Amino acid sequence: MSTQTLTKKVIAYVTKKDELMVFTHTEFPEAGVQVPAGTVEESEEPSEAVLREIYEESGVKGVRIIELLGIYEYNMAPDRDEIQERYVYHLELTEPTPSTWRYWEMHSSTSKNSIAFDFYWVRLDGSDLGLAGGQGYFLSKLVQKIKII
């Protein structure tokens, strides 16, 4: 019998034409390349959570949800005793952003201090782009949907 908790999470694939918005942790590059993601709060719908997480982590408000690409479970063991039920959304940028920018997340669930993230855009090529923590799970599906390469 498993003692692992089930936590709802959202993952945001924000695109600008054939590019994906990604970031690295400024002070912790070993965390790898990631996309905005986070926990769905109690009484919050995943579609609301994904928009909140994008803004909290990147400062970007100008996005619109295209679709829910899918849901999958990800086991966080051995790092955490948790199964994540991940809702992966494709969103499209609706306002210009710089090609690179630094943003400080002020509402981190893991730290009382702000966390700096360095954002940039990478071209979607059909691979998982080496995204950390299994975040690239639905990237091939995204590429098929937006018909690039």
Side-chain angles (χ1 to χ4, degrees), residues 109-124:
S109 60
T110 59
S111 174
K112 291 182 180 182
N113 299 321
S114 61
I115 301 172
F117 298 137
D118 288 323
F119 281 86
Y120 56 100
W121 296 91
V122 294
R123 185 176 184 281
L124 288 163

Side-chain angles (χ1 to χ4, degrees), residues 11-16 18-26 31-37 54 57-60 63 91 93 97-103 116-125 127-132 135-136 139 142:
I11 295 177
Y13 293 164
V14 179
T15 60
K16 175 177 73 172
D18 66 345
E19 294 181 310
L20 180 72
M21 183 173 76
V22 298
F23 70 91
T24 56
H25 287 257
T26 308
V33 177
Q34 299 179 42
V35 294
I54 291 166
E57 293 185 2
S58 71
V60 173
V63 294
L91 301 98
L93 191 68
T97 64
S99 59
T100 64
W101 71 98
R102 179 169 288 170
Y103 193 79
F117 298 137
D118 288 323
F119 281 86
Y120 56 100
W121 296 91
V122 294
R123 185 176 184 281
L124 288 163
D125 63 6
S127 75
D128 70 3
L129 301 175
L131 294 180
Q135 289 185 336
L139 280 181
L142 173 65

Side-chain angles (χ1 to χ4, degrees), residues 15 40-42 57 71 76 83 88 90 124 127 131 137:
T15 60
V40 178
E41 295 176 357
E42 208 170 309
E57 293 185 2
I71 302 168
M76 293 299 293
I83 301 285
V88 182
H90 173 209
L124 288 163
S127 75
L131 294 180
Y137 190 84

Side-chain angles (χ1 to χ4, degrees), residues 28-100:
F28 304 100
E30 65 275 9
V33 177
Q34 299 179 42
V35 294
T39 303
V40 178
E41 295 176 357
E42 208 170 309
S43 77
E44 184 179 45
E45 292 297 319
S47 59
E48 297 167 325
V50 75
L51 294 170
R52 176 183 50 76
E53 287 293 342
I54 291 166
Y55 177 68
E56 286 179 0
E57 293 185 2
S58 71
V60 173
K61 287 185 182 178
V63 294
R64 69 179 180 94
I65 294 174
I66 302 296
E67 70 177 311
L68 174 66
L69 289 171
I71 302 168
Y72 70 102
E73 288 188 357
Y74 188 79
N75 190 337
M76 293 299 293
D79 299 324
R80 281 188 264 170
D81 196 22
E82 173 183 87
I83 301 285
Q84 294 183 348
E85 181 178 71
R86 294 177 166 186
Y87 293 72
V88 182
Y89 285 88
H90 173 209
L91 301 98
E92 182 178 69
L93 191 68
T94 61
E95 296 177 2
T97 64
S99 59
T100 64

